[in-house]
Amino acid sequence: MIVDGHNDLVLRSWRELPVWQMDLDAAHEAGFAGGFFALYVPSPSPVEPTTAHYAMPLADPIPTADAARVALELYDTLRSLPVAIATSPGDFQPDRVTAIVHLEGADPLAPDLSDLETWYERGLRSVGLVWSRPNAFAEGVPFRFPSSPDTGRGLTPAGVELVRACNRLGVLVDLSHLNEAGFWDVARISQAPLVATHSNAHALCRSTRNLTDQQLDAIGESGGMVGVNFAVTFLREDGAQAPDETPLAEIVRHVDYIAERIGIDHVGFGSDFDGAVVPTELGGVAGLPKLVDALRDAGYDGAAVAKVTHENWLRVLGETWR
Ligand code: ZN
């Protein structure tokens, strides 16, 4: 059984685009039991970098009312998919796909948090404070390579209150896309295990979207979790968009690094299916068994494979949710 930290099937469905990496029929056969399904209010698509070295500008903020309107449409799209909604780790079952309602960017939430409980009642159980843009709560990293993730200001007072409210409600706070100042603010404030649902090791790929060794250490010490992102540009040492020349071993390399640094209990998958270009050898959700085989070939025994594929995610969800 595989539980995963991030996919963008909802955005793709909302845009009425054809099936890409997240084929739900193939998911069943591949052992994909679900995971975090992002509600992501899109920014206008930036110009794709043509070189491995790039420094894209930070995306513009989206007004709360606009973001809230789109987020509700995305939520309705999620509810129209043939998936169960998770409110407890036991909801993940091998015979179906189960979705964690995840806001990728708190932009749709009122800065006074007056609608947070309504979202909780809709099933919201995970909030990424930011996507790669500023909002009322925090600021995300711009896409840059090579670059440190220390790119801007930390949490606003509203952001501090959002973290506290999520702790109270038992909603997971996701640190992926957050800049380093914001990360350390959350690390100071949050009572819950620290989680980055779809980010990699900065020591191996110097993208702003990846986590420094110090950030990894803090996640490990908190009992938290890193979901390894399959995006080619966050995996490769040269940061290049080269899916045909990126073997599955590049994903295993990041799993290895994080497991060696902070322990096998603190790493899992955060595919970014339907949101990112992944190694051609993997393709999409149907290729997950090949990735599990690659872990076995790299020396992971049955217990280690179970932790990476689902047990770690289920443990962290159990420790975070109420
Ligand atoms: Zn993302």
Short mmCIF file of all heavy atoms in Angstrom, two decimals, residues 6 8 104 131 177 198 209 229 272, ligand 1:
data_model
loop_
_atom_site.label_atom_id
_atom_site.label_comp_id
_atom_site.label_asym_id
_atom_site.label_seq_id
_atom_site.Cartn_x
_atom_site.Cartn_y
_atom_site.Cartn_z
N HIS A 6 1.66 14.30 -2.07
CA HIS A 6 1.16 15.42 -2.89
C HIS A 6 0.77 14.98 -4.30
O HIS A 6 1.55 14.33 -4.98
CB HIS A 6 2.23 16.51 -3.03
CG HIS A 6 1.71 17.77 -3.65
ND1 HIS A 6 1.19 18.81 -2.91
CD2 HIS A 6 1.60 18.16 -4.94
CE1 HIS A 6 0.80 19.78 -3.71
NE2 HIS A 6 1.03 19.42 -4.96
N ASP A 8 -1.68 16.76 -7.85
CA ASP A 8 -2.47 17.87 -8.39
C ASP A 8 -3.57 17.40 -9.33
O ASP A 8 -3.94 18.12 -10.26
CB ASP A 8 -1.54 18.87 -9.11
CG ASP A 8 -0.78 19.74 -8.13
OD1 ASP A 8 -1.44 20.44 -7.34
OD2 ASP A 8 0.47 19.71 -8.12
N GLU A 104 -3.11 23.91 -0.72
CA GLU A 104 -1.72 24.23 -1.04
C GLU A 104 -1.61 25.75 -1.17
O GLU A 104 -1.76 26.34 -2.22
CB GLU A 104 -1.26 23.54 -2.33
CG GLU A 104 0.24 23.77 -2.55
CD GLU A 104 0.81 23.07 -3.75
OE1 GLU A 104 0.06 22.77 -4.70
OE2 GLU A 104 2.03 22.81 -3.76
N TRP A 131 1.87 28.66 -1.24
CA TRP A 131 2.52 28.19 -2.45
C TRP A 131 3.66 29.19 -2.69
O TRP A 131 3.97 29.98 -1.79
CB TRP A 131 1.51 28.13 -3.62
CG TRP A 131 2.12 27.51 -4.85
CD1 TRP A 131 2.45 26.19 -5.04
CD2 TRP A 131 2.50 28.20 -6.04
NE1 TRP A 131 3.02 26.03 -6.28
CE2 TRP A 131 3.06 27.24 -6.90
CE3 TRP A 131 2.42 29.52 -6.45
CZ2 TRP A 131 3.56 27.58 -8.18
CZ3 TRP A 131 2.91 29.87 -7.71
CH2 TRP A 131 3.46 28.90 -8.56
N HIS A 177 7.19 24.66 0.06
CA HIS A 177 7.03 25.98 -0.59
C HIS A 177 7.33 27.14 0.35
O HIS A 177 7.47 28.29 -0.11
CB HIS A 177 5.64 26.19 -1.20
CG HIS A 177 5.38 25.41 -2.45
ND1 HIS A 177 5.76 25.85 -3.70
CD2 HIS A 177 4.77 24.22 -2.65
CE1 HIS A 177 5.38 24.96 -4.61
NE2 HIS A 177 4.79 23.95 -4.00
N HIS A 198 6.16 17.65 0.06
CA HIS A 198 6.76 17.37 -1.25
C HIS A 198 7.97 18.26 -1.48
O HIS A 198 7.93 19.24 -2.22
CB HIS A 198 5.73 17.46 -2.38
CG HIS A 198 5.04 18.79 -2.55
ND1 HIS A 198 4.39 19.44 -1.54
CD2 HIS A 198 4.88 19.58 -3.65
CE1 HIS A 198 3.88 20.57 -2.00
NE2 HIS A 198 4.17 20.69 -3.27
N ARG A 209 13.25 25.03 -3.39
CA ARG A 209 12.14 24.18 -2.94
C ARG A 209 12.59 23.03 -2.05
O ARG A 209 11.75 22.31 -1.50
CB ARG A 209 11.37 23.65 -4.16
CG ARG A 209 10.39 24.64 -4.73
CD ARG A 209 9.10 24.69 -3.91
NE ARG A 209 8.31 23.48 -4.11
CZ ARG A 209 8.23 22.47 -3.26
NH1 ARG A 209 8.90 22.49 -2.11
NH2 ARG A 209 7.49 21.41 -3.54
N ASN A 229 9.84 14.49 -3.34
CA ASN A 229 9.18 14.99 -4.54
C ASN A 229 9.84 14.37 -5.77
O ASN A 229 11.08 14.34 -5.87
CB ASN A 229 9.33 16.52 -4.54
CG ASN A 229 8.47 17.21 -5.56
OD1 ASN A 229 8.36 16.75 -6.71
ND2 ASN A 229 7.86 18.31 -5.18
N ASP A 272 4.08 14.62 -6.29
CA ASP A 272 3.79 15.78 -7.15
C ASP A 272 3.22 15.34 -8.50
O ASP A 272 3.28 16.08 -9.49
CB ASP A 272 5.03 16.67 -7.35
CG ASP A 272 4.68 18.16 -7.35
OD1 ASP A 272 3.50 18.50 -7.59
OD2 ASP A 272 5.58 18.98 -7.16
ZN ZN B 1 3.72 22.22 -4.78
#
